[in-house]
Amino acid sequence: MNVAIIGAGMAGLSCADALQDAGHCPVLFDKGRGPGGRMSTRRVQTPLGEAAFDHGAQYFTARDPGFKRLVDSWQRSGVAAPWPQSGTDAWVGVPGMNAVTRQMAAAHDVTWGHQVSAMVRRAGAWWLTGPAGETGPYDAAVLAIPAEQAAVLLSLHDFAMARKALMVRSQPCWTGMFVFDDPLDGVPPVMRNRGDVAWAACNSAKPGRSGPEAWVVQASATWSATWLEAPVDEVTGLLHRALAQAAGCIIPEPIAATSHRWRYALSVGTGDGALWNPDLGLGACGDWLMGPRVESAWLSGRKLATMCIGSGPVMGSVQLTGRTCPKGHVPILP
């Protein structure tokens, strides 16, 4: 079974892992320049050297037994570590949050910088249109992207799935990134829900980090929605002031600063877990179907893979000329 997965974040990679473990051949496409998605790490050059920011997901938890085993394997390989300052069950990627997705992506055929703009089903197979033209055929197509983006592609093929995606309203988040020439003495390394700041943390104090004093400041959903279309420079200045208000002290001017807008940052989850149409070989997964956590995205991808594999003889009829699964994923989970 050859499966095209649109989106190589945690949900898409989790789905790909499970499919490949079962002997199938997933091929992933992602519009980003590299692994991460909302677990990306931004690097900025400063007069004091390179600074790194986990500007999306700040940490993840591991409560599901299967996900715990995977996180344990990440810890053994050195790409994840606990972060006690954020909670007893908080984990981070090392040296950046994208370390875990980078390791996952290395086991798969992933095309980066490839935004799928259209999907067509012909003669029982899927064909995708992107920057390089049309690719295919594929037995199945999986959408592992935010609900608002999935709805556009689903609407022409499965209205019931598209309707579920259209009902989701993801909350936005503006993230500020600041580098200082000295530590912010007296400021707690982690702050939550202080005024307009939903989260602020000293990123350089996380396990396995190096470089100058680097802070991540994430605005509340309400604040982010209010300033959603504002220029980056203006938002950066406002978030610098918001950090000072949250800390209750004067914050020095940064030696480097920028901001990033996550238009689709958080979703409460529909409770479906994953969506699958066996007649079309079409599915969707992601945290918008389960809940706003990294672990939820992983579980959603696994669930969709199970549904896809369970389709039986409906799947697996397409032969891709000259294509084989180029990389072997070593199964970690039963």
Side-chain angles (χ1 to χ4, degrees):
M1 184 165 70
N2 297 290
V3 183
I5 300 177
I6 303 170
M10 180 56 69
L13 289 168
S14 170
C15 185
D17 279 354
L19 288 170
Q20 193 159 288
D21 286 350
H24 302 291
C25 187
V27 180
L28 297 97
F29 302 92
D30 195 284
K31 69 177 183 178
R33 292 177 292 179
R38 283 171 289 181
M39 294 179 72
S40 294
T41 299
R42 174 80 67 88
R43 302 189 183 278
V44 176
Q45 294 297 328
T46 80
L48 296 179
E50 185 179 77
F53 303 91
D54 299 324
H55 64 304
Q58 294 298 293
Y59 65 89
F60 56 89
T61 57
R63 296 160 187 168
D64 174 83
F67 192 59
K68 284 182 179 179
R69 291 194 292 273
L70 179 58
V71 172
D72 287 342
S73 76
W74 289 341
Q75 184 181 25
R76 290 193 298 271
S77 64
V79 298
W83 186 25
Q85 287 178 314
S86 190
T88 56
D89 62 345
W91 292 79
V92 295
V94 176
M97 283 294 285
N98 65 349
V100 295
T101 48
R102 185 178 301 278
Q103 185 179 88
M104 294 173 75
H108 298 290
D109 179 1
V110 185
T111 301
W112 303 106
H114 187 105
Q115 183 168 4
V116 174
S117 57
M119 301 165 49
V120 177
R121 187 165 172 81
R122 294 196 302 267
W126 287 102
W127 297 80
L128 310 183
T129 300
E134 195 173 66
T135 61
Y138 301 101
D139 292 295
V142 166
L143 278 67
I145 52 181
E148 290 84 350
Q149 297 171 351
V152 176
L153 295 175
L154 290 170
S155 61
L156 297 177
H157 305 288
D158 188 311
F159 185 71
M161 275 199 273
R163 184 169 59 243
K164 284 184 177 290
L166 286 167
M167 292 175 63
V168 173
R169 291 293 181 268
S170 298
Q171 296 178 331
C173 178
W174 268 110
T175 298
M177 292 160 272
F178 303 95
V179 182
F180 302 98
D181 52 9
D182 288 307
L184 300 185
D185 293 333
V187 179
V190 175
M191 294 182 287
R192 293 181 171 91
N193 300 319
R194 297 194 180 188
D196 294 326
V197 174
W199 170 273
C202 181
N203 199 90
S204 51
K206 289 181 176 180
R209 270 59 173 178
S210 61
E213 179 91 349
W215 279 75
V216 169
V217 181
Q218 293 185 326
S220 69
T222 300
W223 191 97
S224 297
T226 300
W227 296 95
L228 189 62
E229 305 300 337
V232 169
D233 290 345
E234 182 179 5
V235 168
T236 302
L238 292 171
L239 288 178
H240 179 255
R241 290 197 287 274
L243 174 61
Q245 292 171 354
C249 64
I250 296 175
I251 299 294
E253 287 298 315
I255 61 172
T258 188
S259 294
H260 179 85
R261 177 183 61 193
W262 296 99
R263 190 177 289 274
Y264 309 119
L266 295 172
S267 171
V268 296
T270 66
D272 294 283
L275 303 175
W276 176 244
N277 182 330
D279 296 327
L280 293 179
L282 177 63
C285 60
D287 55 5
W288 63 273
L289 288 159
M290 188 164 283
R293 294 189 296 132
V294 170
E295 183 174 5
S296 298
W298 184 85
L299 288 169
S300 178
R302 298 284 296 186
K303 180 172 183 177
L304 179 55
T306 300
M307 298 164 76
C308 184
I309 294 166
S311 296
V314 173
M315 308 302 298
S317 60
V318 173
Q319 298 298 318
L320 293 188
T321 303
R323 179 182 288 280
T324 59
C325 289
K327 299 181 180 181
H329 168 67
V330 179
I332 296 172
L333 307 174

